[in-house]
């Protein structure tokens, strides 16, 4: 048995309950551990279908845990690790209509990387897509990132499934930073200045704790630039109507597409992972000869 | 210039008096000051400031360094007021070899050395002095990592005593000889010279430390070295007050967690910013305890 990554296109609550609830019930009947990570109102629909099965299903609110799509893979990996090789089923609904363009692009990249991250597992990873509410291009992207697409109860191979690495590389929503955004070049001795720059603007626009989240994330990513990308980088920070954005560019070549999406390991890899946990969105992209990391923290979590 | 602590750090809790200073003056009645100096002139300037305050406080002042008694007396007499203090029996000298207890390699025995220094305090107060003030040039005692590791414990144990006993010390390290290795020992003092710019980790009691200054990549190696030398040598629960740490990178927390895992007794962070707890929770650093806000 191998990993199955399937997009389920649904129209309305009834179809959701039938298509997704049916798969969960079947998995439970087969004795599989089940993880359900969907927006809370969708979880309520599934609870109605599944009924009382105490402890059988682990529910997570995707609106919270998956706000930054880069947090989803480590979360699913932990679930699969706990299954210790047993077949399991994960329901993940990372796309919803009011996601921003930048978030939606990162959802697409996340879905592509799911194929890479869980290639060797024996899990069914099923991703409901609200076909009635999502834009057509979101559904087209789902078909490119899922080897199997289920439409009106019929599962078939996706004709447009695309190499995950290519999707990851070609999907991008990074509008230019606003001209005049405060900018600073940094090296090992200027990390405190990076933090000062971020806290000055973030402190003006965000609650204190949220501002500190962005400061920690910026420090971690800037530290990576110093350690792994030639010792220097450039930080830029600006405010948007509902968030503060910090961008760090360096000359490092990004070779690991799953960077920051694996559970932290003792020797390395905690910095970007931590940034993913603290920010509402982290966009990590190759950029010319280097790398750009754009981090966003909203006024409230998820804004 | 007064040695008033610079207002460089905001504290979330109450902690022993400490700070970065631009001179050795004004640290009265008692203080433990670490200083990296360049050249005899800078050493003598700080020694003169420390001597003057000690004499004014009716403390026994001792110049401790590398060299014979005669050589050290000449150096003391060259300081303003030094000759008069020596003549009046209010100040003296001590060759560094006699100040501490060493093994055959010249590595200091921390615990035995502390006993010797505490006995010297009792002796001085028995003679009517209000306390003891030592001006140490410890450069000759710390040429290798092995020497510095042992001296780390000595500095800390002495610092514990200085938190409660009538004793002060100016611990000077020659930057021309030690380079950045001087930081490994200077940072163990509650007061340091402002040009140092490093964090400080010092005693607030037995098993109690305070940490001040920012911790990031720039001082990651130094912090790891100092903590790896110090924490395994401390017995029982270790409580570190980090109310004076405006920023701590996660690597420092991971290091403390790893060191805590190797100990029989806990390592506890007090007065931590709420985000420190958030980060240790995210990283599941289960060995390092973060005390709830008080």
């Amino acid at each position: 048995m191998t990993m199955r990554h399937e997009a389920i296109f649904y129209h309305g609550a009834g179809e959701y309950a039938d298509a997704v609830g049916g798969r969960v019930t079947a998995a439970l009947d087969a004795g599989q551990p089940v993880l359900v990570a969907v927006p809370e109102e969708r979880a309520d629909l599934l609870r109605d279908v599944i009924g009382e099965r105490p402890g059988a299903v682990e529910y997570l609110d995707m609106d919270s845990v998956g706000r930054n799509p880069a947090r989803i893979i480590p979360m699913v990996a932990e679930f699969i690790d706990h299954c210790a090789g047993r077949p399991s089923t994960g329901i993940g609904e990372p796309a919803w209509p009011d996601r921003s363009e930048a978030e939606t692009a990162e959802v697409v990249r996340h879905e592509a990387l799911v194929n890479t991250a869980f290639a060797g597992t024996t899990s069914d990873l099923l991703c409901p897509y609200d076909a009635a509410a999502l834009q057509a291009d979101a559904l087209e992207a789902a078909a490119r990132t899922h080897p199997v697409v289920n439409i009106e109860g019929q599962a078939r191979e996706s004709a447009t499934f695309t190499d995950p690495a290519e999707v990851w590389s070609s999907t991008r929503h990074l509008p230019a930073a606003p001209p005049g955004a405060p900018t600073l070049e940094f090296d090992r001795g200027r990390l405190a200045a990076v933090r000062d720059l971020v806290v000055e603007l973030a402190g003006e626009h965000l609650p204190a704790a949220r501002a500190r989240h962005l400061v920690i994330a910026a420090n971690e990513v800037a530290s990576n630039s110093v350690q792994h990308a030639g010792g220097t980088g450039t930080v830029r920070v600006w405010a948007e109507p509902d968030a503060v954005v910090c961008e760090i560019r360096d000359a490092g070549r990004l070779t690991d597409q799953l960077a920051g999406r694996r559970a932290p390991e003792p020797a390395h890899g905690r910095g970007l992972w931590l940034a993913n946990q603290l920010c509402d969105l982290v966009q990590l992209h190759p950029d010319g000869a280097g790398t750009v990391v754009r981090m966003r923290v909203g006024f409230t979590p998820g804004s | 210039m007064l040695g008033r602590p610079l207002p460089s750090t905001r504290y979330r809790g109450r902690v022993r008096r400490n700070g970065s200073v631009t001179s050795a003056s004004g640290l009265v009645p008692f203080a433990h000051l670490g200083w990296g100096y360049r050249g005899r002139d800078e050493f003598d300037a700080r020694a003169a400031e420390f001597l003057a305050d000690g004499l004014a406080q009716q403390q026994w002042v001792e110049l401790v360094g590398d060299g014979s008694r005669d050589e050290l007396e000449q150096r003391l007499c060259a300081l303003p007021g030094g000759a008069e203090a020596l003549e009046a029996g209010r100040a003296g000298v001590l060759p560094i070899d006699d100040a501490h207890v060493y093994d055959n390699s010249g590595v200091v025995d921390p615990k035995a050395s502390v006993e010797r220094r505490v006995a010297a305090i009792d002796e001085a107060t028995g003679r009517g002095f209000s306390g003891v003030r030592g001006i140490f040039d410890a450069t000759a005692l710390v040429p290798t990592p092995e020497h510095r590791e042992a001296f780390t414990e000595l500095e800390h144990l002495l610092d514990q005593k200085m938190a409660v006993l009538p004793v002060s010390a100016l611990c000077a390290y020659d930057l021309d000889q030690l380079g950045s290795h001087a930081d490994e020992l200077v940072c163990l003092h509650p007061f340091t010279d402002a040009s140092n710019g490093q964090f400080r980790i010092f005693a607030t009691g037995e098993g109690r430390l305070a940490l001040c200054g920012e911790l990031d990549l720039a001082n990651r190696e130094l912090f790891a070295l100092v903590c790896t030398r110090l924490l395994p040598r401390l017995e029982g629960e270790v409580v570190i007050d980090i109310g004076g740490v405006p920023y701590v990178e996660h690597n420092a927390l991971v290091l403390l967690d790893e060191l805590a895992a190797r100990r029989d007794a806990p390592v506890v962070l007090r007065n931590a910013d709420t985000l420190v707890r958030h980060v240790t929770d995210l990283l599941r650093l289960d060995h390092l305890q973060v005390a709830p806000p008080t």
Side-chain angles (χ1 to χ4, degrees):
Chain A
M1 187 174 168
T2 57
M3 189 265 275
R4 180 182 183 91
H5 189 205
E6 176 178 331
I8 301 175
F9 291 177
Y10 67 90
H11 294 77
E15 211 172 304
Y16 192 87
D18 288 346
V20 183
R23 299 290 283 273
V24 173
T25 303
L28 291 172
D29 290 346
Q32 289 186 11
V34 175
L35 172 71
V36 172
V38 299
E40 196 56 32
E41 72 279 6
R42 296 295 180 208
D44 290 340
L45 291 174
L46 293 179
R47 287 190 185 95
D48 290 343
V49 175
I50 297 162
E52 287 298 316
R53 298 210 194 189
V57 180
E58 182 182 352
Y59 287 98
L60 293 171
D61 181 5
M62 186 63 105
D63 198 15
S64 168
V65 298
R67 167 58 57 174
N68 175 0
R71 287 201 289 259
I72 302 172
I73 284 177
M75 177 187 76
V76 174
E78 187 174 11
F79 164 71
I80 291 176
D81 283 349
H82 280 146
C83 296
R86 291 166 60 201
S88 58
T89 293
I91 310 293
E93 186 167 358
W96 51 84
D98 60 352
R99 283 250 203 212
S100 69
E101 284 183 71
E103 284 181 18
T104 300
E106 290 304 313
V107 166
V108 173
R109 299 175 90 217
H110 151 74
E111 288 281 35
L113 290 177
V114 165
N115 299 293
T116 312
F118 302 113
T121 70
T122 56
S123 294
D124 282 356
L125 300 176
L126 313 176
C127 307
Y129 278 77
D130 188 344
L134 289 165
Q135 301 281 334
D137 55 359
L139 301 178
E140 286 164 14
R144 281 188 287 121
T145 55
H146 293 77
V148 178
V149 176
N150 188 319
I151 300 172
E152 296 176 347
Q154 298 295 314
R156 55 177 73 93
E157 277 190 23
S158 170
T160 55
F161 180 71
T162 306
D163 174 29
E166 189 184 324
V167 174
W168 183 87
S169 301
S170 61
T171 307
R172 183 182 174 102
H173 182 84
L174 279 176
T183 302
L184 177 77
E185 292 187 7
F186 62 86
D187 58 17
R188 183 178 294 261
R190 300 269 288 160
L191 292 171
V194 171
R195 297 192 293 271
D196 288 347
L197 184 78
V198 176
V199 81
E200 190 175 335
L201 193 76
E204 271 181 38
H205 292 82
L206 301 176
R210 304 285 296 157
R212 298 268 290 163
H213 284 191
L214 190 58
V215 171
I216 293 173
N219 181 77
E220 294 295 343
V221 172
S223 297
N224 281 349
S225 298
V226 172
Q227 280 191 292
H228 306 301
T232 61
T234 304
V235 59
R236 192 172 275 117
V237 60
W238 65 92
E240 295 185 352
D242 56 355
V244 175
V245 180
C246 174
E247 178 186 276
I248 290 177
R249 289 175 182 270
D250 63 36
R253 294 189 67 82
L254 182 58
T255 54
D256 180 8
Q257 297 184 348
L258 285 167
R261 296 178 198 241
R262 294 190 185 87
E265 295 169 17
H268 60 87
R270 290 188 180 97
L272 199 49
W273 181 88
L274 197 55
N276 275 329
Q277 305 309 308
L278 296 171
C279 296
D280 296 319
L281 190 68
V282 176
Q283 297 166 274
L284 171 67
H285 288 265
D287 190 68
T291 298
V292 58
V293 184
R294 192 175 282 192
M295 296 160 279
R296 175 190 181 88
V297 170
F299 190 81
T300 56
S303 65
Chain B
M1 187 187 299
L2 284 175
R4 201 167 46 241
L6 300 176
S8 57
T9 308
R10 288 176 293 133
Y11 298 97
R12 286 182 289 276
R14 295 177 61 191
V15 76
R16 178 183 170 198
R17 206 162 57 102
N18 70 89
S20 297
V21 294
T22 52
S23 90
S25 286
L27 301 175
V28 293
F30 302 107
H32 191 197
L33 170 62
W35 201 286
Y37 72 90
R38 286 197 189 280
R40 177 64 67 86
D41 286 351
E42 185 180 1
F43 176 87
D44 284 350
R46 300 292 87 78
E49 292 159 352
F50 215 62
L51 168 69
D53 278 347
L55 294 175
Q57 296 280 318
Q58 312 301 321
Q59 296 168 2
W60 167 248
V61 184
E62 209 161 44
L63 177 65
V64 187
D66 197 21
S68 67
R69 282 188 177 275
D70 285 348
E71 289 167 338
L72 289 168
E73 284 187 357
Q74 285 177 22
R75 289 181 60 179
L76 177 60
C77 290
L79 302 177
E84 295 82 354
L86 182 66
E87 178 70 23
R90 298 175 61 199
V93 299
L94 185 64
I96 196 97
D97 289 347
D98 298 335
H100 304 305
V101 180
Y102 309 93
D103 70 9
N104 292 337
S105 310
V107 174
V108 74
D109 178 334
K111 291 185 174 65
S113 297
V114 168
E115 283 180 23
R116 183 174 289 190
R117 298 315 308 155
V118 170
I121 301 167
D122 292 341
E123 193 271 333
T125 53
R127 287 194 286 138
F129 291 100
S130 66
V132 170
R133 179 165 278 240
I135 300 167
F136 288 79
D137 185 343
T139 307
L141 298 181
V142 292
T144 71
E146 187 185 9
H147 289 84
R148 290 192 287 276
E149 177 164 357
F151 219 77
T152 295
E153 183 178 1
L154 175 61
E155 281 282 20
H156 178 71
L157 293 177
L158 285 172
D159 195 44
Q160 282 184 10
K161 299 298 180 190
M162 287 189 217
V164 292
L165 295 177
V167 58
S168 291
L170 161 60
C171 301
Y173 294 92
D174 187 345
L175 295 172
D176 291 329
Q177 291 189 50
L178 294 172
S180 62
H181 293 305
D183 289 344
E184 299 163 21
L185 297 160
V186 169
C187 71
L188 295 162
H189 297 77
F191 287 98
T192 59
D193 59 292
S195 64
N196 178 264
Q198 291 291 358
F199 62 86
R200 287 169 281 123
I201 184 166
F202 53 90
T204 55
E206 200 167 324
R208 301 287 183 270
L209 298 104
L211 185 57
C212 293
E214 299 201 296
L215 298 175
D216 66 11
L217 177 63
N219 55 25
R220 185 183 295 171
E221 282 184 28
L222 178 64
F223 184 69
L225 184 62
V226 170
C227 290
T228 304
R229 285 174 176 169
L230 183 58
L231 262 60
R233 287 172 174 254
L234 303 180
E235 293 168 5
E237 181 186 69
V238 172
V239 179
I240 307 175
D241 186 319
I242 63 166
V245 180
Y247 187 81
V248 52
E249 65 163 359
H250 85 271
N251 292 69
L253 300 171
V254 171
L255 171 84
L256 292 173
D257 185 69
E258 288 169 356
L259 292 172
R262 291 182 224 153
R263 303 182 85 249
D264 294 331
V267 176
V268 183
L269 298 184
R270 280 193 61 227
N271 285 320
D273 183 285
T274 51
L275 275 180
V276 168
R277 177 62 172 273
H278 187 46
V279 170
T280 58
D281 285 347
L282 282 172
L283 292 170
R284 298 179 187 170
L285 303 181
D286 299 330
H287 303 289
L288 178 63
Q289 297 181 17
V290 182
T294 54

